[in-house]
Amino acid sequence: MSKEYETVIGLEVHVELATKTKIFCGCSTAFGAEPNAHTCPVCTGMPGSLPVLNKQVVEYAMAVGLATNCDITRHCKFDRKNYFYPDNPQNYQISQLYLPICRNGYVEIETGKLSENQKNALKGKTGSDIAESGEIKKKRVGIHEIHMEEDAGKLVHDDWGEVSLVDYNRSGVPLIEIVSEPDMRSAEEVIAYLEKLRMIIQYLGASDCKLQEGSMRADVNLSVREVGSTEFGTRTEMKNLNSFTSITHAIEGERNRQIDILESGGKVIQETRRWDDTKFESYAMRSKEDAQDYRYFPDPDLLPVDIADEWIEKVKAAQPEFREAKIERYKQEYQIPDYDIELITASKRMADIFEEASGICGQPKKVSNWLMVETMRLLKEKSMDPDQIRFSPANLAKLIELVDSKVINNSTAKEVFEVMFDNDTDPAKYVEEHGMKQENDEGAVKAICEKVIAENPQSVADYKGGKDKAIGFLVGQVMKAAKGKADPGTANKILKELLAQ
Amino acid sequence: MSERLNELTAGALGKKIQAKEVSVKEALDATFAAIDEKEESVHAYITLNRDAAYKTADEVQKKIDAGELTSPLAGVPVAIKDNMCTEGLKTTCASKILYNFIPTFTSTAVENLQNAGAIILGKTNMDEFAMGSTTETSAFGVTRNPRDITRVPGGSSGGSAAAVAADECAYALGSDTGGSIRQPAGYCGVVGLKPTYGTVSRYGLIAYGSSLDQIGPLTKDVTDTALILEAISSYDKKDSTSVNRTDTDFTSALVNDVKCLKIGIPRDYFGDGLDPEVAAAVKKAADELKAAGAVVEEFDLSLVKYAIPAYYTIADAEASSNLERFDGIKYGYRAEDFTDLHDLYKKSRSEGFGPEVQRRIMLGSFVLSSGYYDAYYLKALKVKALIKKAFDEAFAKYDLILGPVAPTTAPELGKSLSDPIKMYLGDIYTISVNLAGLPGICLPCGRDSKGLPIGLQLIGDCFKESTLIRTAYTYEQLRGSF
């Protein structure tokens, strides 16, 4: 490579909003129903049907806009985007072009400190995609606009029969599209930006933002230019990116493809390309020449949305405490390590559990330990997101109290927690029902200790001979004989007393 | 019984039914007898609802007898324009593309009538997708004017107007995007009212120009107009453009009094192209109102000549998008031989839509195309706003505006479609009312030398239907029977 190139990236991110009903009708947005079960004349585009705006969609869009420092358009409108395709029952999509609800925002991203997603996505990569290690860089990524629109249905092609089937359950599910400025320069920045957006939106409860399930989808607009140039190169748009890994691969692949074209004296064509993550390559879907004319115009069936200051204030007042503020507060309020705070606040669900459980049992350090160790381990094992955690903060607090009051010991607690993690079982009840209470009768423990001492003369001799570690073996034997129900601390104490005699 | 039940007004028939002088079935028998007698020459209906109508009649009669239905419209038979969805009853928009379409729900306006106990006789003929002024663009044959069967009934609600004029129903519903209720009412010599935009729900009305469409009544007299308008008006959460009005007690406006009412006559409505016989009849009506105590004055409305290009730009733009859903995929007509998805679209739509609809889809698509949107569509919206402003200024001075409904009386069949520009110009007095969202009423004010009805149009400010009804009612008394 004779010249040095810079990658210029802008993103279009679609986020499915977590409303219970669709954007323009009362149908459910729930996943997994029989095809066309959640449909009505409106979302199947029947003649004579009319759309009615779901106010919650406006509220979520506004909340995301306010959290990303956008200006809210006080008088915004819906436009029709006209194109023919069977997944789009009216053959136009109701979207926003001329007056989108949010404009001119930004989010601050941090790079240099790699998150789990970044680490996974960048595994085995070197060079420009990884910033100088150790150094944390802050950067603003501009948000050009956020607009509201409806999702399309799904086509199911029967490879054997000569038919295609349409499922309109997703038709009319509300989306926001967040359009960034071309401010990103690397895959690392792109992922930091996406993680930031996801964090904000999840904190707002506006969406679960799952890339794999399509509730968050990102299209990458990318061009390259010589370092130092102020002109933008010709960009392409990359679609079908459904994981951070495929986004990283696609950025690397497209950057290299464009540089190769320029290096061999060619010209990049403005086009939409589809990334195939199994083949590690993209192919052209359509070029600018055959780009459709969508004939956008204001939808006459919907009134303009006039957003009063009071409404904005109401949404502002309802905004949750975001991660940065939470981190600062945790540092003040809880005596737990900064590392724990970072990890716990990375998920709103986790932070909520932490705060509520700590509030109940008054032991933030212990709550944090359960979250950092056992919860993280089980999430990883079961490849779950923190959002999918089922156990309640109350039950976690109860479990901690059971250990504190010596009803169960730590190893029993771990056993109970695994059950609780799956089913949100009440730990006290479970312990009771399964006879897992620890033996707190010192007399009973003493009897066991005496038996163990009698049966293990060698260890007794070792201990008495100065090998302190031998006590560990004896405690283990006591626990075994007590079927795990003894308190190891008590056993230790009694053993030492007996051996000292 | 010497009196023919089908000839009665809805109000008069309803009273007899409530008084048990007449049964719902007798009313229906008389109406279907008239239909059977006249349909061959008039052809007002696309689809008749005979069996279901008799079934409903039984149910309604029982409720009337039980005292559960006391509406003056209970048991009164109505004809519905075929662009309003009726559950289980074919709704075609007079288009081949919907030749077999049976809706799964009923439009709100029709539902309101059904709740009042109305009996649906059938679906009336119209210009295809309400695009036309003669009912000749229907895919299912023309409707003839009952006053002279060599002439058109007007359009696009020509079937509804003809059914009322021929006493093939007690009253009918039509829809008006640029004059489609008022102009056929004028040609057929019946009363037609287009309400203020937002007064009658558009839910279930198959859209032509969504920002202009309104459903309204076609009736035998002004009393029925008030009665029906009161029944169909409702605030409907399913229509975002629906207006929550509390002033829908229109029958209380049936007052014979126009004293001190200020009526403006736009000089612009009496220029070139207006048939002198029409002009004379309309002026005579104005004189009669003046004699009854109204203050009548001429004024310049201005911008009249810009209404037609603005209207056809906006209505066609909206129509080009509204009609996209008719694609041969989900319902309606699908072409038989196609090679791929786009060929299926092209063939189904080319074969399914008639020439006037295709012309308007092309016009509408063009004005929305990238590069033309600003020059055509946005400019038309600006003209629309200016026209509204001109009316606002007029209504600062006048309670209502009086003029003709159309430049001529009903033209002969087969003479209009060959020159679409001339046909479009015929809408000159009606379309600005839609552009400004105003209410307008048309009622007969005489006949020309050929014996054809002449329509008088009264235009009110937004939400002033009561002023229109009071004036029309007063004029009707002055005029005497038509």
Side-chain angles (χ1 to χ4, degrees), chain A residues 415-416 419-420 425-436:
Chain A
E415 222 178 289
V416 176
V419 180
M420 201 176 98
T425 318
D426 179 333
K429 242 178 158 179
Y430 187 83
V431 164
E432 187 70 55
E433 281 167 10
H434 292 77
M436 295 168 99

Side-chain angles (χ1 to χ4, degrees), chain B residues 196 299-303 383-401 432-433 435-439 459-464:
Chain B
T196 307
F299 76 106
D300 293 309
L301 180 62
S302 83
L303 297 171
V383 172
K384 183 183 181 212
L386 288 174
I387 287 171
K388 174 78 173 84
K389 200 168 151 253
F391 274 110
D392 286 345
E393 284 164 13
F395 287 118
K397 286 187 287 181
Y398 307 110
D399 296 311
L400 59 84
I401 292 169
S432 30
V433 170
L435 287 172
L438 306 170
I459 302 166
D461 199 358
C462 283
F463 310 116
K464 298 289 186 194

Side-chain angles (χ1 to χ4, degrees), chain A residues 234-253:
Chain A
T234 305
R235 69 168 193 273
T236 59
E237 183 182 354
M238 198 84 67
K239 288 188 180 289
N240 192 36
L241 306 169
N242 45 26
S243 69
F244 283 124
T245 316
S246 67
I247 290 170
T248 307
H249 291 161
I251 288 173
E252 187 189 26

Side-chain angles (χ1 to χ4, degrees), chain A residues 41 45-48 50-52 80 82 84-86 89-92 98 168 293 295-298 300-301 303, chain B residues 85 105 202-205 210 237-238 240 318 321-322 324-325 327 330-331 341 345 365 368-370 373 377:
Chain A
M46 296 304 272
L50 293 171
V52 177
R80 290 187 187 174
N82 298 284
F84 281 80
Y85 204 64
Q90 309 157 113
N91 286 321
Y92 58 80
Y98 296 109
Y168 288 125
D293 183 347
R295 293 178 284 115
Y296 278 100
F297 77 109
D301 288 332
L303 300 177
Chain B
C85 287
F105 67 96
R202 293 187 297 114
Y203 193 78
L205 171 68
S210 315
K237 279 191 281 187
K238 288 184 282 189
S240 308
E318 291 177 4
S321 175
N322 285 333
E324 279 163 355
R325 68 189 68 202
D327 58 4
K330 304 170 289 285
Y331 43 76
L341 179 64
Y345 284 148
S365 302
L368 291 177
S369 300
S370 129
Y373 178 80
Y377 185 74

Side-chain angles (χ1 to χ4, degrees), chain A residues 459-472:
Chain A
S459 298
V460 172
D462 287 350
Y463 177 76
K464 285 186 171 166
K467 282 187 183 170
D468 284 352
K469 278 182 185 169
I471 195 86

Side-chain angles (χ1 to χ4, degrees), chain A residues 22-195:
Chain A
K22 294 183 179 182
I23 183 168
F24 297 123
C25 64
C27 290
S28 165
T29 56
F31 252 110
E34 287 285 297
N36 297 307
H38 296 320
T39 59
C40 73
V42 177
C43 57
T44 52
M46 296 304 272
S49 67
L50 293 171
V52 177
L53 178 62
N54 179 346
K55 285 264 156 60
Q56 183 63 52
V57 173
V58 181
E59 231 155 79
Y60 276 148
M62 239 197 288
V64 175
L66 290 170
T68 53
N69 309 293
C70 288
D71 299 329
I72 304 296
T73 312
R74 305 304 164 105
H75 179 79
C76 78
K77 281 184 183 173
F78 283 94
D79 301 298
R80 290 187 187 174
K81 178 182 184 179
N82 298 284
Y83 67 95
F84 281 80
Y85 204 64
D87 65 1
N88 173 15
Q90 309 157 113
N91 286 321
Y92 58 80
Q93 179 196 28
I94 305 178
S95 179
Q96 294 193 296
L97 177 75
Y98 296 109
L99 293 168
I101 183 160
C102 309
R103 283 181 288 202
N104 303 325
Y106 66 87
V107 293
E108 207 148 74
I109 59 165
E110 280 182 6
T111 52
K113 177 183 64 179
L114 297 188
S115 69
E116 283 300 307
N117 281 318
Q118 285 170 322
K119 280 183 211 156
N120 287 336
L122 296 170
K123 211 167 269 173
K125 299 282 173 302
T126 52
S128 65
D129 276 345
I130 300 180
E132 318 266 312
S133 62
E135 190 191 342
I136 293 172
K137 288 190 208 155
K138 283 192 176 180
K139 176 175 181 171
R140 272 185 186 189
V141 175
I143 289 175
H144 182 76
E145 66 169 69
I146 301 175
H147 61 254
M148 304 175 275
E149 60 187 26
E150 55 178 343
D151 206 350
K154 205 174 97 187
L155 284 189
V156 184
H157 301 288
D158 184 342
D159 288 340
W160 281 271
E162 287 215 321
V163 293
S164 294
L165 303 169
V166 202
D167 176 4
Y168 288 125
N169 280 349
R170 304 315 294 160
S171 167
V173 167
L175 301 175
I176 50 172
E177 181 174 341
I178 306 165
V179 183
S180 84
E181 299 291 353
D183 288 348
M184 287 158 277
R185 298 290 175 268
S186 66
E188 191 199 358
E189 289 184 1
V190 166
I191 288 166
Y193 168 75
L194 285 170
E195 283 187 327

